Amino acid sequence: MADPTDSEQPSSDENPTEFLARSEGKSPGILAEFWDFLCHNKKWWLAPIIIALLLIGLLILISGSAIAPFIYPI
């Protein structure tokens, strides 16, 4: 049976004061978080999917504007 105090102890590489300092700091933007996710989890196959979805969304937004006639020949 495991000692219940083992799970309450902070890990050796995590410092409670460092955790508090990071929690009070400025949060990174969504692009920085996405880039960090890609780098740490090696999910590079997600990048083209996200880029394609963003481009499709941009085309949808632009299609209702005055730029639309210039997009259709593309």
Side-chain angles (χ1 to χ4, degrees):
M1 193 168 191
D3 187 17
T5 58
D6 289 340
S7 63
E8 296 173 6
Q9 297 290 332
S11 63
S12 60
D13 59 355
E14 285 290 325
N15 188 358
T17 56
E18 180 183 347
F19 178 76
L20 289 173
R22 286 187 181 191
S23 68
E24 293 172 356
K26 183 181 176 192
S27 63
I30 191 163
L31 291 177
E33 284 190 31
F34 183 65
W35 181 256
D36 191 44
F37 172 77
L38 289 178
C39 290
H40 288 284
N41 293 322
K42 307 292 189 238
K43 304 281 186 188
W44 296 109
W45 56 270
L46 281 174
I49 296 170
I50 299 297
I51 291 170
L53 288 173
L54 289 174
L55 288 174
I56 291 170
L58 182 66
L59 283 174
I60 290 171
L61 287 175
I62 292 176
S63 67
S65 69
I67 303 172
F70 300 107
I71 296 173
Y72 294 124
I74 296 175

